[in-house]
Amino acid sequence: MPDQDFSPLTAAVVEPLLGLLTLVLILSLLKAFLPRLRGLLGERAVARVLKRQALRVANDIILPDGRGGLTQIDHLVLTPTGILVIETKNYSGLIFGREREARWTQVVGRHRHPFQNPLRQNYGHIKAVETLTTTIAVEGRVVFVGRARFPKGRPPGVVDLAGLQRDLAAMPKREIPLALRLEWEALIAQARQDRRTRRASISAASANAMMIRLPRPGSIRAQAPGGRL
């Protein structure tokens, strides 16, 4: 009996499977990296606003957190009255959350996605900056870019991109004192730049944020999470 050639059949079965596996792999990679890409786009939008204000800004900076670890901060801004710490979120849909709740909820259509309270996250950043400075005032903002809406109102310290622009425009128009500039330079000098440090800080950020509790109003030097610039 002559040998049969199964190669056409094999090709007809294997090639579609390889194509399907490739498609699944691409979709998996997109799903894994899409949140990070959205975050980067949001941070760039905020960085552009800060740059237009001609302020002293440090974007995507890693600093010691004062507890033996590290923390990654989206934006630090030196103002005539102190330092502004900004956490950026690029979300769409409806956002539900209160100032002191541990987790908030994003609703897009029928899908609900819980996420950590960004005010808690940014409060950790504020405390880190406070430990690295002396008497300088430190304040915070959480900036939501994109199409996110808060049906029940935004918690204190949370603004959109237009709100950030209004806050910056309302800052005192005067020269930044020398003492603040020196503290700023000393703070930035403590930033960590190596890739290993960056990976470690990102992997630890979520766990650290869940352990942070917001203080009672008026119990800390910084008016965190919100305050007057």
Side-chain angles (χ1 to χ4, degrees):
M1 183 176 179
D3 293 336
Q4 295 184 0
D5 184 6
F6 291 101
S7 57
L9 178 61
T10 301
V13 173
V14 172
E15 289 181 4
L17 286 177
L18 289 176
L20 180 60
L21 289 174
T22 301
L23 179 60
V24 170
L25 178 60
I26 292 174
L27 291 176
S28 299
L29 290 174
L30 286 175
K31 184 176 181 180
F33 287 103
L34 191 59
R36 180 57 181 161
L37 178 60
R38 282 199 303 263
L40 288 173
L41 293 175
E43 290 172 20
R44 288 185 178 182
V46 172
R48 286 194 297 269
V49 169
L50 299 175
K51 185 177 180 180
R52 286 198 295 267
Q53 296 291 329
L55 300 167
R56 294 197 182 193
V57 178
N59 299 308
D60 191 20
I61 185 172
I62 296 176
L63 293 171
D65 64 3
R67 303 189 304 274
L70 299 166
T71 189
Q72 184 268 335
I73 300 175
D74 290 341
H75 314 277
L76 286 179
V77 184
L78 179 63
T79 77
T81 59
I83 292 177
L84 180 63
V85 182
I86 298 176
E87 172 68 22
T88 298
K89 296 297 180 186
N90 189 358
Y91 279 36
S92 59
L94 305 179
I95 307 296
F96 297 90
R98 297 179 180 178
E99 181 180 4
R100 307 185 70 83
E101 289 178 338
R103 300 188 70 79
W104 291 4
T105 302
Q106 176 195 30
V107 179
V108 180
R110 297 182 179 180
H111 300 282
R112 301 173 66 88
H113 168 65
F115 62 100
Q116 65 186 27
N117 180 346
L119 290 171
R120 284 191 173 197
Q121 183 180 2
N122 205 39
Y123 175 66
H125 299 161
I126 292 170
K127 295 303 293 181
V129 173
E130 282 189 334
T131 63
L132 300 174
T133 59
T134 53
T135 60
I136 192 169
V138 185
E139 299 183 9
R141 292 291 186 279
V142 173
V143 181
F144 274 79
V145 303
R147 299 181 178 181
R149 294 188 295 114
F150 289 76
K152 296 184 178 180
R154 297 188 188 93
V158 178
V159 297
D160 58 11
L161 208 53
L164 175 64
Q165 291 174 316
R166 288 191 297 270
D167 284 348
L168 296 174
M171 288 191 308
K173 302 299 188 292
R174 63 173 184 264
E175 184 179 356
I176 297 175
L178 176 61
L180 292 187
R181 297 201 303 269
L182 292 176
E183 284 222 51
W184 170 264
E185 292 170 3
L187 175 66
I188 300 305
Q190 299 184 64
R192 302 285 294 274
Q193 302 293 340
D194 57 282
R195 293 183 179 179
R196 180 179 298 179
T197 296
R198 180 165 297 277
R199 287 195 296 267
S201 69
I202 292 174
S203 64
S206 179
N208 289 342
M210 291 304 297
M211 298 173 62
I212 295 171
R213 293 184 178 182
L214 292 176
R216 294 180 181 276
S219 63
I220 57 173
R221 169 159 55 97
Q223 295 179 3
R228 294 170 58 186
L229 293 171

